[in-house]
Amino acid sequence: MNDSNILSQLNDSQRAAVSTIDGPVMVIAGAGSGKTRVLTYRIAYMLEQKVTPWRILALTFTNKAAREMTERIQKLIGDGKAKAVQMGTFHSVFLRILRTEADKIGFTHSLTVYDTDDSKSLLRNIIKEMNLDPKIYVVNFILNRISAAKSNLMNEEDYARNAEAKAYDKEAGKPLIHEIFARYNKRMHGSNAMDFDDILYYMNALLRDFPDMLFKYQNRFQYVLVDEYQDTNYAQYMIIKKIAQSHHNICVVGDDAQSIYGFRGADINNILNFKRDYPEAKLIKLEQNYRSTQNIVNAANAVIRNNNKQIPKNVWTDNEEGNPIDVFAVGNENDEATLVCDSIFEIEHNYHVDYNDIAILYRTNMQSRALEEAMIKKHIPYRIYGGTSFYARKEIKDVIAYCRLAVNHYDEESLRRVINYPLRGIGDTTVERVLACAQENGARMWDVIENPVFFEVPVNGPTREKLMDFANKIKSFTALLSKKDAYEMGKHIAFSSGIVAALKADPSDKDRMDNVEELLDAMKDFSENAEETTFNDETGELIENFMPTLDRFLENVSLLTDADEKDNEEEHKVKLMTIHAAKGLEFDYVYITGLEENLFPSSMSIGSRRELEEERRLFYVAITRAKKVLTITHAQTRYRFGSMQFCEPSRFLDELPLSCMKTIQKASSGKGTFAKKKTDSEYLGKTFVPKSKLPAKPKPDFDVSAIGRIAKPFEIVKDLKIYHLKFGYGVITQLEGTGDDRKATVHFETMGDKVLLLKFAKLIIPK
């Protein structure tokens, strides 16, 4: 296929985005406008224009996106050039580079990657070793603080010197986070391991601290393409900027209206300020929506128009007008679930809609309970996204831990996980003595286990033998790494470690054994279908006859994202997921549930325009997942923290144009059945009134008695369950100070930890 054929398949805007290959380009791609198509065709066009493939760096946010783009490019140009394009997620591409340059940053080529569970396990051990209260030093909170610091390119020393960070931690009652951070990084480095944030941190450090490395990779990657640029954080932004600094051949593609990961550190300003970084940049807008009906597109446009910070665009479609958007007001979450399931049952039976084409979206995972129960009662097959990942299951992590140890003996978390599994008589006391001995001698746990006599581990003779036997077993696995492919190694390790025998010995472990077999199947699939090529890390050129080894398989597994596990088009089940998880997906029929104040938008966003605008972008994303039919529900009451809470309709409902909601229905409370359709005027008069259509009137005082009573000072004690008018339900976790200076740390269901001055807090004790 020649380049003219490539360009002829695109609309005018897409053609401009594909053919402008030199200089900085920002492509603002509205929902459903063919963003992936543009990226794919752009790379294919560049290859047709004789751009050297390994000079192209294409960064995505999921492995799935990179894989699909590579396959589509190969079909377009009909040769193997697409394989040589350096395309993948930020983490996969940069991890390859860091493995190559590992010695410069104090690691070895066999470094492993810790997932979230590994990091949490390490933090729990550190908190225990420091004799800190795990109820105060909550692992999730600490990991989030460390992750945020690394995403902003702060190491443990920067963090310890940062007055704002230390003041925040002190106010939160956790003044020793900086010390935990330091120990965490030291142990990670000692384990020759990185977490996801480290990959970006060290990649930036490599380019920042080694001018020869910066020159090397600026010269290597002459053309840079970035997908979903609105989701990049500060670390990603800085790496991209450094690489593109010398040539400015950078193309970023994204949609500021779909920037919804601020809580993960994504910075919408990266896309809003692109012109500031590259004044000569060409701005191209993809505004034709090929996905949704006119009603859905118009509703989404009307909602997002209320945000101040955005790049103006006018998304439009030639698709049919489509059904109006139905908005249901229901009594409670059970009514909501019943209504949604009745609707799904009806469209499946009457219109033979495939369950796979239906999705139910919600703001938080806690909303899934009632929906699940209703699905089960109605015998509707469903799948929840965001549950336990396959690779997070215990038996899978056990096998993977042995595999990781074979590749990297210093991986402390993997070592601690399997040193006594299956049981081999190396108990917790022995492990603690090994750890203490390692710390006293400035050594690593593996060194001590391998040489317990030399390090004088205070254990008896038989235990020393068991430690050395374990080390010898791992070394026997390592000796085979270069001789066997991933499947052969995985099978050998699963059986030789004793895991298979342990699982088969207990009939109740059949499901776990099945999962191990599925893991081996995945290894076999990788070994048989992996491309028999890899890249020369110096030139970027292809190397033939690459063996799909165990370390390559582990690299793929460690860098899997949630989106990479959502792929089963033959699974005929309704999809239940948070809106965040739905980004990038599309369905014929979409139900958005829980459109209530303090739920959607979240109570955490109410006091901040920036966060409220992100919530509105989240609603925009939810609306634009729908192709044909969109249904929205909100409840008048909902149980939270075991107590009934009265709910107001979300302010976002005010922003939906009535022209897109020609008939708005109301479900009768308690029955979940469809009630008589109401006209716009009837609905305006009784159920839902857009605030912009009515004159302002004084807001009545909040009726505290509907929830409970104001707490008296002596009643405010630790572990008391309370309600706050702004933050919702919470539990008091800590008290400090006296009199007017008395403060309480409260863990709120939706807000996390907040420190409140009690004389102003007006805490309510729920009924």
Side-chain angles (χ1 to χ4, degrees):
M1 177 176 288
N2 58 46
D3 57 359
S4 61
N5 285 335
I6 288 177
L7 296 179
S8 68
Q9 299 177 53
L10 307 169
N11 65 34
D12 290 344
S13 297
Q14 292 173 335
R15 193 176 302 116
V18 166
S19 60
T20 309
I21 61 176
D22 292 317
V25 178
M26 178 165 67
V27 180
I28 298 299
S33 62
K35 171 178 66 69
T36 303
R37 182 182 180 87
V38 163
L39 279 169
T40 303
Y41 277 61
R42 180 181 172 88
I43 296 172
Y45 181 78
M46 292 169 72
L47 295 176
E48 289 289 351
Q49 296 302 304
K50 308 304 181 184
V51 173
T52 306
W54 56 86
R55 299 289 189 202
I56 302 172
L57 172 63
L59 299 170
T60 67
F61 272 81
T62 67
N63 298 290
K64 176 185 172 185
R67 186 170 58 250
E68 289 178 350
M69 285 170 59
T70 300
E71 292 170 356
R72 289 167 69 173
I73 293 166
Q74 285 182 252
K75 289 179 181 178
L76 279 173
I77 61 176
D79 62 26
K81 289 182 182 178
K83 299 176 188 176
V85 174
Q86 305 289 284
M87 179 151 45
T89 64
F90 284 85
H91 294 90
S92 64
V93 171
F94 297 154
L95 180 61
R96 280 187 62 89
I97 292 173
L98 291 175
R99 285 189 194 280
T100 303
E101 317 293 355
D103 58 318
K104 291 183 172 60
I105 52 175
F107 289 82
T108 74
H109 303 306
S110 62
L111 68 90
T112 48
V113 178
Y114 277 15
D115 62 20
T116 302
D117 288 340
D118 297 323
S119 294
K120 288 180 180 179
S121 176
L122 176 54
L123 284 171
R124 286 190 195 96
N125 289 330
I126 292 171
I127 290 166
K128 182 179 179 182
E129 291 160 19
M130 293 176 66
N131 294 314
L132 299 175
D133 186 346
K135 293 181 180 177
I136 295 175
Y137 286 87
V138 179
V139 165
N140 285 354
F141 181 88
I142 296 170
L143 185 58
N144 287 339
R145 292 290 287 163
I146 293 174
S147 175
K150 290 181 179 179
S151 294
N152 284 289
L153 302 180
M154 294 170 63
N155 62 20
E156 66 274 27
E157 294 173 353
D158 299 324
Y159 191 91
R161 289 192 299 262
N162 188 289
E164 185 179 347
K166 292 184 74 173
Y168 181 93
D169 293 343
K170 185 176 181 180
E171 185 180 356
K174 303 169 179 64
L176 295 179
I177 287 181
H178 69 282
E179 187 174 335
I180 297 173
F181 190 176
R183 293 193 183 203
Y184 174 80
N185 267 10
K186 184 178 180 181
R187 295 277 276 278
M188 290 287 289
H189 200 274
S191 295
N192 195 35
M194 294 183 182
D195 60 26
F196 265 42
D197 298 304
D198 282 327
I199 295 172
L200 300 179
Y201 177 85
Y202 284 111
M203 183 66 199
N204 184 80
L206 184 73
L207 301 177
R208 180 193 64 207
D209 300 339
F210 299 91
D212 58 325
M213 292 291 99
L214 178 61
F215 177 79
K216 174 181 178 179
Y217 289 102
Q218 284 179 342
N219 187 56
R220 165 84 68 81
F221 302 129
Q222 299 276 328
Y223 294 88
V224 179
L225 293 86
V226 186
D227 190 14
E228 305 286 9
Y229 191 62
Q230 77 282 347
D231 292 334
T232 53
N233 62 23
Y234 179 67
Q236 290 163 328
Y237 163 79
M238 288 301 295
I239 295 167
I240 296 162
K241 189 176 181 181
K242 285 182 173 71
I243 292 174
Q245 197 168 18
S246 64
H247 50 69
H248 277 209
N249 292 326
I250 178 171
C251 174
V252 301
V253 183
D255 182 7
D256 57 294
Q258 297 186 63
S259 178
I260 60 173
Y261 293 113
F263 67 97
R264 291 184 187 170
D267 188 351
I268 191 174
N269 290 311
N270 291 349
I271 195 167
L272 294 177
N273 296 334
F274 186 77
K275 278 272 195 177
R276 181 196 63 189
D277 293 332
Y278 306 94
E280 75 276 30
K282 184 172 183 179
L283 172 63
I284 300 170
K285 298 179 183 179
L286 307 182
E287 297 176 305
Q288 182 174 359
N289 181 299
Y290 292 94
R291 176 190 299 159
S292 306
T293 64
Q294 291 181 22
N295 272 326
I296 292 170
V297 170
N298 292 341
N301 284 343
V303 167
I304 203 63
R305 204 172 289 128
N306 290 277
N307 271 8
N308 288 331
K309 294 187 72 172
Q310 60 179 293
I311 298 171
K313 56 185 169 296
N314 180 36
V315 180
W316 58 278
T317 184
D318 273 340
N319 294 341
E320 62 183 359
E321 180 181 15
N323 292 354
I325 298 170
D326 286 332
V327 177
F328 289 93
V330 297
N332 56 45
E333 64 263 44
N334 294 322
D335 296 337
E336 178 180 62
T338 303
L339 182 147
V340 169
C341 288
D342 284 349
S343 173
I344 291 172
F345 184 85
E346 180 181 324
I347 61 175
E348 194 275 334
H349 280 71
N350 293 347
Y351 303 102
H352 307 293
V353 172
D354 193 319
Y355 285 130
N356 202 40
D357 295 326
I358 304 171
I360 305 173
L361 310 182
Y362 35 77
R363 179 63 184 82
T364 65
N365 279 309
M366 67 180 183
Q367 293 169 250
S368 67
R369 179 198 57 80
L371 291 163
E372 278 193 87
E373 291 177 0
M375 292 290 220
I376 292 169
K377 289 178 184 175
K378 206 73 178 178
H379 304 293
I380 297 174
Y382 69 93
R383 179 184 172 192
I384 290 187
Y385 289 113
T388 302
S389 158
F390 174 77
Y391 287 99
R393 292 169 180 163
K394 179 189 180 302
E395 59 277 13
I396 301 304
K397 287 187 74 70
D398 290 339
V399 177
I400 292 293
Y402 271 106
C403 294
R404 279 171 35 173
L405 267 184
V407 172
N408 173 19
H409 295 164
Y410 298 129
D411 186 334
E412 182 183 318
E413 283 307 303
S414 293
L415 191 155
R416 293 179 71 137
R417 184 179 188 94
V418 297
I419 192 169
N420 199 36
Y421 178 77
L423 294 174
R424 55 175 57 89
I426 304 175
D428 291 343
T429 300
T430 300
V431 172
E432 294 306 316
R433 288 175 179 173
V434 167
L435 178 61
C437 198
Q439 292 174 342
E440 288 169 9
N441 289 276
R444 308 183 199 194
M445 286 187 70
W446 172 264
D447 298 326
V448 177
I449 290 168
E450 194 178 19
N451 300 286
V453 177
F454 174 81
F455 284 98
E456 299 179 349
V457 182
V459 294
N460 59 32
T463 302
R464 286 196 197 99
E465 290 294 326
K466 291 170 184 174
L467 289 172
M468 290 187 289
D469 286 347
F470 174 75
N472 289 333
K473 183 179 288 291
I474 299 301
K475 287 190 284 188
S476 73
F477 298 156
T478 304
L480 298 173
L481 287 175
S482 61
K483 302 174 183 177
K484 295 178 179 289
D485 64 25
Y487 168 67
E488 293 168 335
M489 277 303 306
K491 185 176 181 181
H492 176 69
I493 288 172
F495 280 86
S496 298
S497 65
I499 288 179
V500 169
L503 292 176
K504 285 186 174 181
D506 187 347
S508 66
D509 280 336
K510 183 182 181 306
D511 288 344
R512 290 186 172 185
M513 186 60 230
D514 290 345
N515 288 335
V516 170
E517 290 178 358
E518 188 175 341
L519 173 64
L520 295 178
D521 288 344
M523 290 177 165
K524 189 174 184 65
D525 180 65
F526 172 82
S527 299
E528 292 180 350
N529 298 313
E531 298 287 349
E532 293 184 359
T533 56
T534 187
F535 304 110
N536 182 312
D537 287 314
E538 292 300 318
T539 67
E541 295 179 275
L542 288 173
I543 301 173
E544 301 297 328
N545 302 318
F546 151 70
M547 178 185 281
T549 51
L550 182 62
D551 61 323
R552 293 291 187 187
F553 175 79
L554 292 175
E555 180 179 312
N556 284 359
V557 168
S558 67
L559 297 174
L560 285 175
T561 65
D562 293 341
D564 295 315
E565 295 198 47
K566 295 177 190 169
D567 195 14
N568 190 348
E569 295 181 0
E570 297 180 0
E571 184 179 56
H572 301 288
K573 297 179 180 180
V574 176
K575 309 297 187 295
L576 278 68
M577 66 185 81
T578 64
I579 301 165
H580 284 100
K583 187 170 180 292
L585 304 179
E586 57 183 45
F587 304 91
D588 287 346
Y589 294 80
V590 170
Y591 297 82
I592 309 174
T593 61
L595 259 291
E596 299 135 30
E597 287 292 293
N598 296 317
L599 181 56
F600 197 8
S602 163
S603 59
M604 289 187 288
S605 69
I606 301 300
S608 163
R609 168 182 269 182
R610 179 181 61 82
E611 293 179 6
L612 186 60
E613 291 204 348
E614 179 156 320
E615 288 288 299
R616 186 176 284 111
R617 293 194 293 270
L618 191 60
F619 187 41
Y620 175 87
V621 167
I623 293 172
T624 54
R625 298 313 92 199
K627 296 165 68 174
K628 295 179 180 178
V629 177
L630 175 61
T631 302
I632 299 173
T633 63
H634 64 95
Q636 295 164 346
T637 62
R638 192 177 294 271
Y639 271 94
R640 302 181 73 172
F641 258 123
S643 301
M644 181 183 291
Q645 184 173 340
F646 293 97
C647 309
E648 291 184 30
S650 169
R651 67 190 68 194
F652 296 151
L653 294 175
D654 297 6
E655 299 166 2
L656 292 170
L658 292 176
S659 60
C660 299
M661 305 185 300
K662 291 184 180 177
T663 55
I664 299 175
Q665 300 170 315
K666 184 177 179 180
S668 58
S669 179
K671 298 179 181 178
T673 56
F674 293 97
K676 171 177 171 279
K677 289 184 179 180
K678 294 183 179 289
T679 65
D680 290 347
S681 59
E682 287 178 311
Y683 192 78
L684 281 170
K686 296 181 180 179
T687 309
F688 170 65
V689 183
K691 297 179 178 64
S692 59
K693 304 294 183 182
L694 293 178
K697 60 182 180 181
K699 187 174 180 179
D701 291 338
F702 185 84
D703 184 8
V704 172
S705 64
I707 292 180
R709 59 181 175 79
I710 298 290
K712 296 175 182 178
F714 68 86
E715 294 179 301
I716 299 176
V717 295
K718 190 177 177 183
D719 297 328
L720 176 69
K721 189 181 296 182
I722 58 89
Y723 181 84
H724 187 277
L725 295 180
K726 181 178 179 181
F727 303 136
Y729 289 94
V731 174
I732 294 175
T733 59
Q734 187 176 349
L735 291 164
E736 58 182 305
T738 58
D740 287 348
D741 295 327
R742 197 173 186 221
K743 298 176 183 177
T745 301
V746 185
H747 181 76
F748 289 99
E749 178 185 355
T750 55
M751 290 290 291
D753 288 346
K754 289 283 183 184
V755 179
L756 305 177
L757 194 61
L758 292 180
K759 70 176 180 178
F760 297 126
K762 293 184 180 178
L763 301 181
I764 299 169
I765 298 178
K767 291 180 178 177

